[in-house]
Amino acid sequence: MNNNPRSNAVQDFSNGTDVPVAVLVDCDNVPPEILPYALRMAAQFGRVALRRGYGNHATLANRWQEALVRLAFTPHLQYQYASGKNTADIALALDALEAMFDHRAETFCLVTSDSDFAYLCRKLRERGARVCIVGEGKTPEALRNASDQFFEWSPAEADPDASTDSAEKVPAKKDPAAKPKADKSPSGKEPGKEPAKELVKEPNKEAGKTPAKQRPRFVVEAVSLLAGESSEGKVGLGALGQYLKRTDPAFSTKTYGHSGLLDMVKTYDLLELHQEAGGNWSVGLANSKGS
């Protein structure tokens, strides 16, 4: 009798689940600009529990240091014991297998374009784990086909800070009852009034002021990614909120001037809300097949 819980194929990796995900980066093979994109791709499968970057001293101490620190990755420094030997690849593969056997991860996101990892992908999948690859356009077919899903990154998609994507302000409604401002003389004083002897400072109203409503683009990108995996072309509002929190733990709709995610999504022209029979809300791209 086989008691190994991983002997069967993976059954459910639907959006919104809390499946532990491991993001393992071959820092010697890819540029650090790929990291925000890789995290966004990995977050759709579950909670990113393991974040590790592997490389030699020259790689980790120079171009990768800032990215690993900023995105809370654990650096795994591997010295080269002989010229031409890459010990970082072996360390990554062993740690992946260990994480699978210890049940610390069920989905693995390998960030690399190195076809040497094709065999590791096959072994992980044989044990029931799901494997996705995030790599560049140069990634060989052998590695692409060894994964469950391949995400191709290009330098054009590089984003210095995924959490501060470009935002568009929601057009403000004009108040017809607003009184026109009184005309002022060239000196800045209102006609017929004596200058005040002493100006009394008013309390700072800006401190407690609600931020202007904004529509950050990353919300549309999140819906496009998650709804694209659904046959109905929609994603539940709860699942969308979980995904946004995974990609940016500090995410809050109040930061963009909205009382909640439903209120925020309603302001988007590119998104369309749907209320299901049970009262729950889902969202898809406007004019999509799920409309």
Side-chain angles (χ1 to χ4, degrees):
M1 182 178 178
N2 188 357
N3 293 322
N4 185 354
R6 296 186 181 276
S7 59
N8 297 325
V10 175
Q11 296 180 357
D12 184 15
F13 286 92
S14 58
N15 295 325
T17 58
D18 204 30
V19 172
V21 180
V23 179
L24 308 178
V25 186
D26 180 9
C27 298
D28 292 334
N29 182 260
V30 292
E33 292 78 16
I34 198 174
L35 214 48
Y37 175 79
L39 285 174
R40 293 198 297 271
M41 296 304 104
Q44 66 182 299
F45 300 112
R47 180 177 61 90
V48 179
L50 276 72
R51 302 185 183 198
R52 296 181 178 179
Y54 299 80
N56 58 42
H57 181 270
T59 300
L60 297 187
N62 294 313
R63 59 177 187 156
W64 270 94
Q65 181 174 335
E66 189 276 334
L68 293 177
V69 170
R70 177 169 55 87
L71 295 173
F73 272 72
T74 301
H76 282 253
L77 172 62
Q78 301 297 321
Y79 291 108
Q80 291 179 288
Y81 303 119
S83 179
K85 300 294 183 181
N86 194 343
T87 55
D89 289 2
I90 297 176
L92 189 157
L94 291 175
D95 283 358
L97 292 171
E98 185 182 65
M100 179 188 65
F101 287 126
D102 290 347
H103 310 300
R104 283 176 289 154
E106 295 181 18
T107 294
F108 293 82
C109 177
L110 305 185
V111 186
T112 182
S113 299
D114 189 348
S115 60
D116 288 347
F117 288 107
Y119 186 70
L120 171 63
C121 293
R122 295 199 297 269
K123 296 302 289 184
L124 291 171
R125 294 176 70 194
E126 286 174 6
R127 288 281 178 170
R130 183 170 189 165
V131 179
C132 70
I133 298 291
V134 177
E136 298 177 85
K138 65 182 181 181
T139 305
E141 291 292 328
L143 182 59
R144 297 176 186 233
N145 294 330
S147 65
D148 290 288
Q149 200 161 358
F150 174 76
F151 300 101
E152 184 173 320
W153 175 85
S154 64
E157 298 181 60
D159 187 354
D161 189 349
S163 65
T164 58
D165 212 340
S166 57
E168 177 186 351
K169 288 186 178 180
V170 177
K173 294 181 180 179
K174 294 184 178 180
D175 186 3
K179 294 181 180 179
K181 293 183 180 180
D183 292 334
K184 292 186 178 182
S185 64
S187 62
K189 301 175 184 177
E190 293 184 13
K193 284 191 177 182
E194 293 294 328
K197 294 182 180 179
E198 184 179 354
L199 294 176
V200 180
K201 292 184 178 180
E202 295 184 0
N204 186 5
K205 297 180 181 179
E206 295 295 327
K209 189 178 179 181
T210 304
K213 289 191 175 184
Q214 293 179 303
R215 297 181 291 200
R217 182 170 176 77
F218 63 76
V219 175
V220 177
E221 294 173 348
V223 172
S224 177
L225 176 66
L226 299 177
E229 297 297 317
S230 168
S231 59
E232 298 179 349
K234 298 181 290 184
V235 59
L237 205 61
L240 174 62
Q242 286 184 347
Y243 173 82
L244 294 173
K245 273 289 187 182
R246 288 171 186 157
T247 55
D248 179 13
F251 171 77
S252 172
T253 57
K254 293 181 180 179
T255 305
Y256 302 95
H258 303 278
S259 60
L261 189 57
L262 180 61
D263 174 56
M264 187 177 193
V265 172
K266 284 180 179 179
T267 65
Y268 283 83
D269 300 327
L270 298 176
L271 301 179
E272 186 170 321
L273 281 162
H274 309 267
Q275 189 166 24
E276 310 299 336
N280 295 326
W281 291 90
S282 60
V283 58
L285 297 177
N287 301 321
S288 67
K289 60 182 177 181
S291 299

